[in-house]
Amino acid sequence: MANLSKNMVHIINEQINAELESAYLYLGMANFYAEKGLMGFAHNFKKQADEEVTHSEKLRDYLIDHSAPIVLKDIKAPRETYEDLRAPLKKQLEHEEYVTSLIYKIMDLAIEEKDYRTIEMLRWFVSEQQEEEVNARTLLEEYDTFGSDLSLLYKLNKKLGKRE
Ligand code: FEO
């Protein structure tokens, strides 16, 4: 199997770390909502944290398939307190936009290196990021529409509790 360049191995390792850091960020948000008694919101962010771990595993598998070294790094402790119920939702959207920019940087390198296999692998992440940004934006908008009415917030919480 074709070798990955040194720069590519490095940047994919960085992305593994970023995905795990995302998992930690969302776990912190899940803890925040659990403490507020919003168990549906907490469930939603726990599920998101789990998804981020699967993203890191996808990249890890890709390196293993190419016999490339995996370098796990420290993960920063996440925030577990926020000023209000809306703040984590806004942070999630900003964070996903940031992660999209990281994926694009890897794609830029893959294109520059004519690394067609990595380009193909990254296509999945490009569409996943689109989905994650849409989901985060939708949730923020839903909160802005329903969040100030307790019975509607209860319904939103219930809906989020059903995320699979
Ligand atoms: Fe793995 Fe939410 O980006």
Side-chain angles (χ1 to χ4, degrees), residues 19 22 26 48 51-52 55 95-96 99 125 129 132:
E19 299 291 348
S22 300
Y26 294 138
Q48 189 59 43
E51 253 192 42
E52 300 301 346
H55 296 170
H95 184 71
E96 288 307 329
V99 173
F125 280 90
Q129 279 313 119
E132 298 220 325

Side-chain angles (χ1 to χ4, degrees), residues 20 32 51 56 64 71 74 80 94 97 99 114 139 152:
L20 290 173
F32 167 75
E51 253 192 42
S56 78
I64 288 174
V71 184
D74 288 349
E80 292 189 73
E94 287 166 0
E97 287 169 349
V99 173
K114 295 188 167 48
L139 181 53
L152 294 177

